[in-house]
């Protein structure tokens, strides 16, 4: 984006602030002037560039309304003034164009037409098969599983996936007509005007890869709970539902995750630790070594189908969870030493011959080589400490969360 002079500063807007999402259940929701139900994107750089700014409009507001169930859309733009390129002496942005590239052509640009679509919301029903249901503070929620063959689902998914461009960093759309995709969608089931209705809460996509000789490896790809419903336990409930369903499928070898975000990693570790703490009991792991023993790995894989890499991490967290730190502080110290030792060993593997020279008296070494080796080893020591602190702090947060459940 161009650098702006102070004169035009009021004509610059951050996309994260001026783009507003709203989930509409009633005509009153659609017509309300209040912005209290709006929520904003977390990312916009894929549409508006790294600085995520939009130039040329004063008091800019871009509103994306979705019918809460079917997610049929309405897009509008509002502003109090617009610069001409002659005034600005530079190109003016077209705020809606990047959004138009990712939304379906069926999107409404007339609010009255959008409001008329509300009449059909009472007929909207989830796609696929019910795989779980649960309550949250007196509200009912259901999770459905389907694939691309469900009538009408692909059109619905094209609307649903528009959210990921704003709420998952580096997201991209999938080829959703591939029969190897599974879709898990959470809905709220509620009553309005004496009729049962459904509102979309969040979803996840799972791809089934070939695994020798005749099995499938399930990989969670996209995972999103819409902002108005975060911090309510819907994410962990959706994840455990997916686990349970995939574990029941004989064809599934194991379950992996594609490029998890930091928030998802934390939630996943909490869920997995809670599950594995019931399998790897305190008595079972008490006298076991720090590294995951083969018999416990096999036990976990047979019961959960979680992948080996994740289970090795969760085993360490479960070990920390089961420690009686107050009664036996030495066990806690031993755990810290073992964790740091494991991390140090991983960093030592790629050490160059140059660094090893530092450990051997050799008159042929030049002062330059010795200095370079010393710098490399010092850098490695810093990496080990930083990684250890980050890992241990993460493990501790997960343990605190699990103990508080």
């Amino acid at each position: 984006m161009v650098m702006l002079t102070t004169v035009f500063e009021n004509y610059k807007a951050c996309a994260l602030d001026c783009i507003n999402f709203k989930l509409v259940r009633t005509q009153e929701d659609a017509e309300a002037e209040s912005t209290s139900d709006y929520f904003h994107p977390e990312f916009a750089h894929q549409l508006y560039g790294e600085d995520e700014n939009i130039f040329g409009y004063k008091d800019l507001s871009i509103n994306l309304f979705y019918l809460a169930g079917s997610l049929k859309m309405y897009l509008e733009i509002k502003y109090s003034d617009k610069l001409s390129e002659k005034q600005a002496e530079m190109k003016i942005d077209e705020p809606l164009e990047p959004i138009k590239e990712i939304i379906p052509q069926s999107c409404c640009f007339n609010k009255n037409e959008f409001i008329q679509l509300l009449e059909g919301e009472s007929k909207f029903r989830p796609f696929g098969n019910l795989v779980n249901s649960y309550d949250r503070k007196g509200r009912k929620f259901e999770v459905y599983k389907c694939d691309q063959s469900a009538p009408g689902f692909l059109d619905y998914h094209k609307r649903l996936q528009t959210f990921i461009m704003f709420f998952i960093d580096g997201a991209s759309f999938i080829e959703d007509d591939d029969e190897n995709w599974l879709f898990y969608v959470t809905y709220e089931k509620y009553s309005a005007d004496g009729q049962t209705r459904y509102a979309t809460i969040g979803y996840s996509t799972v791809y089934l890869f070939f695994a020798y000789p005749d099995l499938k490896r399930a990989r969670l790809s996209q995972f999103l709970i819409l902002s108005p419903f975060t911090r309510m336990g819907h994410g962990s409930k959706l994840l455990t539902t997916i686990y349970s369903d995939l574990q029941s499928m004989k064809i599934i070898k194991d379950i992996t995750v594609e490029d998890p975000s930091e928030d998802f990693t934390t939630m996943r570790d909490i869920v997995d630790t809670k599950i594995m703490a019931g399998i790897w009991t305190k008595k079972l792991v008490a006298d076991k070594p720090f590294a995951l023993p083969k018999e416990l790995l096999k036990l976990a894989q047979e019961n959960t189908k979680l992948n080996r890499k994740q289970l090795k991490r969760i085993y360490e967290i479960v070990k920390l969870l089961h420690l009686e730190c107050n009664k036996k502080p030495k066990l806690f110290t031993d755990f810290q030493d073992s964790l740091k030792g494991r991390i140090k060993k991983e960093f030592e593997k790629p050490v160059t011959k140059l660094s090893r020279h530092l450990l051997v008296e050799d008159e042929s070494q030049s002062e330059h080589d010795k200095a370079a080796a010393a710098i490399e080893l010092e850098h490695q020591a810093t990496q080990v400490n930083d990684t250890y602190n980050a890992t241990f702090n993460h493990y501790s947060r997960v343990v605190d969360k699990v103990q508080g459940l």
Side-chain angles (χ1 to χ4, degrees):
M1 290 290 180
V2 295
M3 297 296 292
L4 304 179
T5 64
T6 304
V7 176
F8 295 137
E9 194 65 28
N10 290 334
Y11 290 83
K12 179 182 72 173
C14 176
L16 301 182
D17 298 325
C18 70
I19 295 177
N20 309 300
F21 294 93
K22 187 173 187 177
L23 300 174
V24 175
R25 299 192 180 194
T26 66
Q27 183 171 338
E28 289 73 22
D29 290 340
E31 296 175 340
E33 294 296 326
S34 171
T35 61
S36 60
D37 293 333
Y38 285 176
F39 56 102
H40 305 283
E42 295 180 15
F43 308 99
H45 57 85
Q46 293 195 140
L47 277 69
Y48 295 100
E50 287 302 316
D51 62 4
E52 300 178 320
N53 286 331
I54 302 171
F55 174 63
Y57 304 80
K58 188 176 182 180
D59 302 319
L60 178 64
S61 179
I62 300 172
N63 300 325
L64 264 171
F65 290 7
Y66 294 75
L67 296 185
S70 66
L71 299 182
K72 292 177 180 178
M73 302 167 63
Y74 165 64
L75 175 63
E76 70 173 1
I77 182 172
K78 295 181 178 180
Y79 49 86
S80 61
D81 191 27
K82 177 182 177 181
L83 291 173
S84 67
E85 294 192 359
K86 183 176 180 181
Q87 288 174 303
E89 297 182 345
M90 62 183 70
K91 183 176 175 59
I92 301 301
D93 293 323
E94 296 292 342
L96 297 189
E97 292 309 308
I99 296 178
K100 287 180 180 178
E101 291 181 7
I102 66 167
I103 61 175
Q105 292 183 350
S106 58
C107 177
C108 289
F109 293 90
N110 180 292
K111 182 174 279 191
N112 289 330
E113 292 179 3
F114 176 71
I115 290 174
Q116 290 176 4
L117 295 175
L118 276 165
E119 297 177 3
E121 280 295 276
S122 61
K123 299 178 182 178
F124 173 78
R125 291 295 181 268
F127 302 91
N129 300 313
L130 177 68
V131 289
N132 196 11
S133 59
Y134 59 96
D135 293 347
R136 281 285 184 275
K137 297 182 178 180
R139 298 166 69 177
K140 298 183 180 299
F141 300 89
E142 296 180 343
V143 183
Y144 283 76
K145 169 191 175 183
C146 74
D147 58 27
Q148 49 85 30
S149 67
F153 177 76
L154 290 184
D155 287 338
Y156 167 81
H157 179 254
K158 282 176 172 53
R159 299 188 291 271
L160 176 58
Q161 70 177 351
T162 57
F163 285 109
I164 70 170
M165 303 301 290
F166 298 96
F167 294 96
I168 299 179
D169 193 14
S172 59
F173 290 165
I174 64 172
E175 296 181 5
D176 54 9
D177 57 351
D178 186 329
E179 62 182 11
N180 286 302
W181 283 109
L182 297 177
F183 303 86
Y184 296 84
V185 186
T186 301
Y187 303 89
E188 180 178 7
K189 183 179 182 180
Y190 68 102
S191 180
D193 299 325
Q195 297 177 316
T196 298
R197 298 199 179 191
Y198 290 87
T200 303
I201 304 301
Y203 81 112
S204 180
T205 57
V206 176
Y207 195 83
L208 303 184
F209 288 91
F210 169 77
Y212 184 84
D214 56 358
L215 299 175
K216 294 284 187 178
R217 171 168 284 118
R219 185 179 72 183
L220 275 73
S221 179
Q222 299 152 325
F223 192 102
L224 178 67
I225 301 298
L226 300 182
S227 292
F229 305 99
T230 57
R231 311 297 177 187
M232 298 180 185
H234 295 300
S236 57
K237 203 69 179 180
L238 178 57
L239 183 59
T240 54
T241 299
I242 294 171
Y243 280 171
S244 179
D245 186 63
L246 294 174
Q247 288 160 4
S248 70
M249 299 168 62
K250 293 182 179 180
I251 197 172
I252 301 299
K253 179 180 180 180
D254 61 12
I255 303 168
T256 63
V257 176
E258 177 185 5
D259 298 330
S261 67
E262 185 176 331
D263 286 344
F264 182 85
T265 295
T266 299
M267 181 197 69
R268 177 194 183 194
D269 285 352
I270 293 170
V271 168
D272 292 357
T273 299
K274 184 179 179 182
I275 292 170
M276 293 313 307
I279 297 173
W280 292 331
T281 62
K282 181 185 294 188
K283 184 177 180 180
L284 189 60
V285 305
D287 300 322
K288 294 294 189 295
F290 184 79
L292 176 58
K294 290 183 179 180
E295 66 272 18
L296 294 191
L297 173 62
K298 182 179 179 182
L299 175 67
Q301 289 175 323
E302 289 174 347
N303 282 273
T304 69
K305 296 188 179 181
L306 298 181
N307 70 86
R308 178 189 181 94
K309 181 179 179 181
Q310 175 69 355
L311 287 170
K312 289 172 71 174
R313 280 169 33 80
I314 298 303
Y315 177 71
E316 293 178 349
I317 301 176
V318 170
K319 291 276 283 186
L320 179 60
L321 175 68
H322 287 330
L323 287 180
E324 298 181 75
C325 301
N326 295 330
K327 297 180 181 178
K328 300 178 181 179
K330 185 178 183 304
L331 294 177
F332 184 67
T333 303
D334 290 345
F335 175 87
Q336 290 178 306
D337 291 342
S338 297
L339 177 60
K340 193 165 189 177
R342 190 264 294 168
I343 292 171
K344 184 177 180 181
K345 184 178 292 187
E346 290 179 357
F347 275 94
E348 284 178 343
K349 290 177 182 179
V351 172
T352 65
K353 292 180 180 180
L354 181 63
S355 300
R356 295 193 186 98
H357 286 171
L358 195 66
L359 305 177
V360 180
E361 289 294 332
D362 185 350
E363 293 182 358
S364 66
Q365 291 179 27
S366 70
E367 291 301 318
H368 178 272
D369 285 348
K370 290 179 180 180
I375 291 172
E376 184 175 346
L377 288 175
E378 183 179 350
H379 177 64
Q380 185 184 83
T382 300
Q383 286 183 309
V384 169
N385 277 326
D386 290 348
T387 302
Y388 163 75
N389 289 330
T391 302
F392 182 76
N393 290 337
H394 173 74
Y395 284 6
S396 298
R397 288 193 297 270
V398 171
V399 166
D400 288 343
K401 289 288 187 180
V402 172
Q403 289 176 332
L405 294 176

